[in-house]
Amino acid sequence: RKEVEQDPGPFNVPEGATVAFNCTYSNSASQSFFWYRQDCRKEPKLLMSVYSSGNEDGRFTAQLNRASQYISLLIRDSKLSDSATYLCVVNGRSNTGKLIFGQGTTLQVKP
Amino acid sequence: GAGVSQSPSNKVTEKGKDVELRCDPISGHTALYWYRQSLGQGLEFLIYFQGNSAPDKSGLPSDRFSAERTGGSVSTLTIQRTQQEDSAVYLCASSFLGSSTDTQYFGPGTRLTVL
């Protein structure tokens, strides 16, 4: 079983749609959680950290359920520029920077 | 300021040859990481340097892979006797403290092709 699992998609949605991505992780000792975004043939960039209380950044909302070891990302009013691969990421050992990446979920927003 | 840089951007080599990949982290960042990304796959952790501590080498796939970080700055990832399955994009990242909450900043990667 992979340490971080995501539905690879692709998710094809029209502009303005709301789309949700889910992710599960296996290591209950993980302390930090992130969503990274990766554009085609580019390096990953941090989209947002994920906190236990849930957090929002504009059109993006991230949620964490530690009991179920489940992370989600909600994108509202999707834009063409949101088309990318979204990587669910957890730290691999407590209090270290070693990150474990999911394989990513591809989003394609259509006009 | 300057981000993480990597060289070369592309490397084509023949099976059995050794290759060296270079990473220049963001100035002042104490932690440096190497990952690789095979076609259509997520990033796979390889190795992690944090200050003067012994590196975490737990992700290196075989003893053909090694990495050094000189002077707490530049790092070199060496792959000996390359195999076709080593073909991937090798990504380097750095972060300020190396803690679990730090943002990691990635370089553009080195695309390695082993013929």
Side-chain angles (χ1 to χ4, degrees):
Chain A
R1 182 190 170 190
K2 291 181 182 176
E3 290 189 68
V4 179
E5 297 213 52
Q6 296 181 249
D7 179 350
F11 285 59
N12 294 302
V13 303
E15 268 188 295
T18 295
V19 61
F21 304 139
N22 303 317
C23 163
T24 58
Y25 62 95
S26 61
N27 185 355
S28 59
S30 295
Q31 294 184 355
S32 300
F33 310 89
F34 311 91
W35 285 99
Y36 275 70
R37 170 188 169 136
Q38 186 172 27
D39 292 293
C40 188
R41 299 179 79 86
K42 298 285 190 181
E43 70 272 21
K45 292 184 180 177
L46 179 68
L47 177 66
M48 59 197 301
S49 301
V50 187
Y51 303 115
S52 296
S53 54
N55 49 301
E56 189 174 303
D57 182 2
R59 298 181 293 109
F60 298 83
T61 300
Q63 303 241 315
L64 168 65
N65 183 323
R66 285 187 185 270
S68 303
Q69 295 179 205
Y70 171 95
I71 305 163
S72 65
L73 176 68
L74 184 77
I75 305 175
R76 291 182 299 278
D77 187 23
S78 50
K79 313 289 186 191
L80 296 176
S81 57
D82 294 334
S83 299
T85 296
Y86 291 83
L87 303 169
C88 177
V89 186
V90 308
N91 76 304
R93 274 200 341 239
S94 61
N95 203 32
T96 75
K98 175 182 174 180
L99 296 181
I100 306 298
F101 285 75
Q103 72 174 99
T105 298
T106 299
L107 173 65
Q108 185 67 46
V109 181
K110 307 275 189 191
Chain B
V4 178
S5 61
Q6 292 186 245
S7 61
S9 55
N10 282 283
K11 176 72 177 178
V12 180
T13 190
E14 293 179 347
K15 178 181 170 181
K17 301 280 190 186
D18 297 352
V19 295
E20 285 190 352
L21 313 179
R22 178 187 167 106
C23 172
D24 281 89
I26 293 172
S27 177
H29 279 192
T30 64
L32 186 148
Y33 315 81
W34 283 98
Y35 299 88
R36 74 175 175 181
Q37 188 170 30
S38 302
L39 189 63
Q41 301 298 311
L43 276 73
E44 175 189 10
F45 167 81
L46 297 177
I47 187 168
Y48 158 44
F49 296 90
Q50 169 55 54
N52 295 322
S53 303
D56 178 345
K57 304 180 182 180
S58 59
L60 294 178
S62 78
D63 58 9
R64 295 187 296 106
F65 289 72
S66 63
E68 288 185 339
R69 188 178 186 194
T70 54
S73 181
V74 171
S75 177
T76 302
L77 177 70
T78 301
I79 309 173
Q80 295 178 309
R81 304 181 303 281
T82 52
Q83 304 294 312
Q84 288 182 331
E85 62 262 28
D86 299 334
S87 296
V89 177
Y90 289 80
L91 289 155
C92 175
S94 71
S95 70
F96 183 55
L97 290 175
S99 72
S100 61
T101 55
D102 259 4
T103 298
Q104 293 188 19
Y105 297 87
F106 283 82
T110 294
R111 185 172 298 275
L112 175 67
T113 304
V114 182
L115 302 176

